[in-house]
Every structure is written in C-alpha cells, then in structure tokens.
Amino acid sequence: MPSAKSSGKGKASGKVKSEDTKSTSRSTRAGLQFPVSRIHRMLRRANVSKRIGSGAPVYLAAVLEYLSAEILELAGNAARDNKKRRINPRHLQLAIRNDEELSKLLGDVIISEGGVVPYINPALLPAKSKKQSLDSQEV
C-alpha cells in the first residue's frame, strides 16, 4: 500500500483531511448566493467552449447576482411607492424603464403584464398663464 507522500498515481495526497471538516461550496467560498457549480455545469453543457476556466462561472454568477439585486431593489422601491408589499410585473417594468442603464440593457425585452411607462407629451398639457406662474412664485 503506497504511503500518503508517494509520487505514484492515485488519490492519496500529502494532505490529511480531518473527518469533522465539511466541504464548502464554491458559492460560499466566493461569497455569493448564486450557484457557481450549476452555472459551471450549464456553461459546459451549452457548448460555449471546449474548455472553461474555474474563474469564469464565479465571475458570471457574481454579475448575475448583482444585476438581479439591482433590479429587485428598484422594483421594491416601485412597489413601495404604489403602497404594495409584493413585487409584480408592473413594478419590474417601471423599475427597468425608469433606469437609464437597465433600460438600455433590456431595451428589446417585453415584460408580460408590465404595461407601459406613463408619459404625457408636454404639448398636450394645459399651458400655464403668466399670472398663475407669478402668483405661485410669490409665497
């Protein structure tokens, strides 16, 4: 039986694991909530490339987690503005379309049951007379 420090083939290595140590997931090591191993598996199965580095799924998981947290935060604010406790598709639509960068990223995306962002052309609004605007400034 080869010793733990032998240079032959096999799984025996110089490190000895204690039996009470638990394995930590790659998501935990990276400090992420999104599943790094699942993203790595999906990248391998999607035939993105023949070889995929170990850092690629970590980076992709971090980017996806950041984007989803950003959208959920803005949608939560939209829900709170409408005095609701749940986020519905309308709140997602308002959050995405009111943010310039997210609107550019998701410009071609159609959100079902999202509706449209309210907009009234200023030419259609009633014009204020000069007397009303002067009265409103004199407080």
Side-chain angles (χ1 to χ4, degrees):
M1 181 174 190
S3 66
K5 293 187 179 183
S6 68
S7 62
K9 292 185 178 181
K11 291 193 175 187
S13 65
K15 297 179 185 175
V16 178
K17 281 190 174 181
S18 62
E19 295 174 15
D20 56 19
T21 59
K22 287 192 172 185
S23 61
T24 58
S25 67
R26 288 194 281 174
S27 299
T28 306
R29 274 188 248 155
L32 298 172
Q33 300 298 315
F34 271 51
V36 173
S37 298
R38 184 178 297 176
I39 291 173
H40 194 176
R41 186 184 71 231
M42 289 178 177
L43 283 173
R44 279 187 273 126
R45 288 188 181 167
N47 290 328
V48 175
S49 174
K50 286 184 179 179
R51 294 162 36 139
I52 297 168
S54 60
V58 177
Y59 196 91
L60 183 56
V63 169
L64 290 173
E65 184 174 321
Y66 169 74
L67 284 174
S68 59
E70 189 74 20
I71 290 173
L72 283 174
E73 181 184 355
L74 293 172
N77 294 343
R80 191 176 52 226
D81 291 345
N82 291 328
K83 298 181 180 128
K84 304 281 191 225
R85 293 182 58 87
R86 290 185 192 160
I87 296 173
N88 60 28
R90 174 70 178 160
H91 302 139
L92 288 171
Q93 174 83 318
L94 291 173
I96 290 169
R97 301 302 170 215
N98 286 328
D99 187 75
E100 184 180 343
E101 293 172 340
L102 285 175
S103 181
K104 187 176 180 182
L105 177 68
L106 302 172
D108 297 332
V109 174
I110 297 172
I111 297 175
S112 178
E113 298 289 326
V116 295
V117 178
Y119 176 75
I120 299 174
N121 194 325
L124 299 175
L125 294 173
K128 288 187 176 180
S129 66
K130 290 190 176 186
K131 184 178 180 184
Q132 285 181 346
S133 62
L134 291 175
D135 292 340
S136 63
Q137 291 176 1
E138 296 175 10
V139 175

